[in-house]
Amino acid sequence: EPEVTQTPSHQVTQMGQEVILRCVPISNHLYFYWYRQILGQKVEFLVSFYNNEISEKSEIFDDQFSVERPDGSNFTLKIRSTKLEDSAMYFCASTPQGDPNQPQHFGDGTRLSIL
Amino acid sequence: GDSVTQMEGPVTLSEEAFLTINCTYTATGYPSLFWYVQYPGEGLQLLLKATKADDKGSNKGFEATYRKETTSFHLEKGSVQVSDSAVYFCALRTNQAGTALIFGKGTTLSVSS
C-alpha cells in the first residue's frame, strides 16, 4: 500500500538555525498538510497546500515557516530560525482530493529537537 | 471555533476488558469524524471514520457511532488486547474542500496481560 514518507526521522538543530523537513506524499494525492505535536500535547494543524499554493494555515504558521513543493514528489517544511519551542514531532499528510470524507494519510513523522 | 474533547487518560485495562474512550465535538454544520491511533514510536494511522449522523465506523474490533444529538463519537472495543496499547485521537474535519483535521488531546491506552 502506498504511504507517505518523511525524512529525516530525527533532526537535531541548534537554536537559530534553519531546518528543512521533507515529505514525499502519496503519488496521486493533491492536498498536502503539515501538523505538529509537541511532546505530550495534541496534534495541531500548521498548513495545507494545494495546486502549488497555501490553501489554509493556522496562527502557529507564522513568518518563520514556509512550505514548498520543489519538484513533482517532495513537499517540504522550512523553519527559518528555529526556537526552542519548535521542538516537536512534525507530521506530513496527504489526501487524493479535498473531499472532507477522505481520511488523511500520515507519515511516521520527523522528531525535531532544538538545542 | 470547532473543537474536539476527549476523556483524559491514561486508561489502564486488563486484557479482554471492555474499552470506551469518550469523544465529543463542537462544530458548525456536519463534520466528518475520525479516530486515529498512534502506536509507540510510529505515526498516526486511521482507525475508523464516520461521515454522517448515525454512521458506525468499525475496524479491528473497534467501533464508534456518529451521534449528532449528543455530538459524540465514542470509541468502543469489546475485548482489548495488549497490542491495542497506543494513543487514540479523535478528530473532525468540516465539510469544506481540503480543510485540516482538528484533533482532540489524545487518550493513552495501556493494556496489561
Side-chain angles (χ1 to χ4, degrees):
Chain A
E1 186 180 329
E3 56 183 32
V4 176
T5 57
Q6 290 185 242
T7 55
S9 57
H10 191 190
Q11 173 82 44
V12 181
T13 301
Q14 292 288 332
M15 187 172 59
Q17 295 297 305
E18 175 183 284
V19 66
I20 297 175
L21 309 182
R22 302 182 191 282
C23 169
V24 179
I26 295 173
S27 63
N28 63 343
H29 285 193
L30 301 177
Y31 284 81
F32 314 118
Y33 308 83
W34 283 102
Y35 293 82
R36 78 172 186 192
Q37 183 184 27
I38 295 172
L39 186 64
Q41 299 186 25
K42 67 177 177 181
V43 178
E44 302 172 292
F45 168 70
L46 291 177
V47 65
S48 60
F49 192 86
Y50 170 71
N51 199 25
N52 283 320
E53 59 183 29
I54 292 173
S55 56
E56 189 181 2
K57 62 182 181 179
S58 72
E59 61 271 16
I60 302 169
F61 193 86
D62 61 21
D63 292 344
Q64 296 282 62
F65 292 90
S66 61
V67 289
E68 192 178 29
R69 188 154 164 82
D71 53 43
S73 59
N74 289 283
F75 178 52
T76 61
L77 174 69
K78 181 192 292 186
I79 308 175
R80 232 176 305 278
S81 177
T82 50
K83 304 187 284 284
L84 292 176
E85 53 264 39
D86 293 327
S87 295
M89 181 74 91
Y90 288 81
F91 292 106
C92 175
S94 67
T95 52
Q97 55 197 24
D99 181 354
N101 297 329
Q102 289 285 329
Q104 295 180 12
H105 298 259
F106 284 80
D108 283 347
T110 293
R111 179 166 298 285
L112 177 62
S113 300
I114 307 300
L115 304 179
Chain B
D2 299 342
S3 65
V4 175
T5 302
Q6 283 182 242
M7 63 186 286
E8 294 285 330
V11 174
T12 303
L13 295 173
S14 298
E15 207 164 24
E16 299 183 5
F18 184 85
L19 168 71
T20 300
I21 299 178
N22 289 340
C23 171
T24 56
Y25 67 90
T26 302
T28 52
Y30 304 98
S32 296
L33 302 174
F34 304 86
W35 277 100
Y36 280 82
V37 59
Q38 185 180 30
Y39 297 104
E42 298 184 17
L44 295 162
Q45 300 175 27
L46 177 69
L47 182 59
L48 53 84
K49 68 172 186 175
T51 59
K52 61 183 188 298
D54 300 324
D55 266 4
K56 177 186 283 189
S58 61
N59 185 27
K60 299 181 182 180
F62 291 89
E63 291 183 342
T65 301
Y66 189 141
R67 301 282 188 207
K68 181 172 172 293
E69 64 277 11
T70 54
T71 62
S72 65
F73 193 54
H74 304 321
L75 182 68
E76 296 182 337
K77 186 174 186 182
S79 176
V80 294
Q81 305 300 312
V82 172
S83 57
D84 294 327
S85 298
V87 182
Y88 292 82
F89 292 92
C90 186
L92 69 81
R93 195 169 173 208
T94 59
N95 286 326
Q96 297 173 30
T99 53
L101 286 164
I102 297 170
F103 286 89
K105 289 186 175 181
T107 301
T108 300
L109 171 65
S110 179
V111 181
S112 57
S113 57

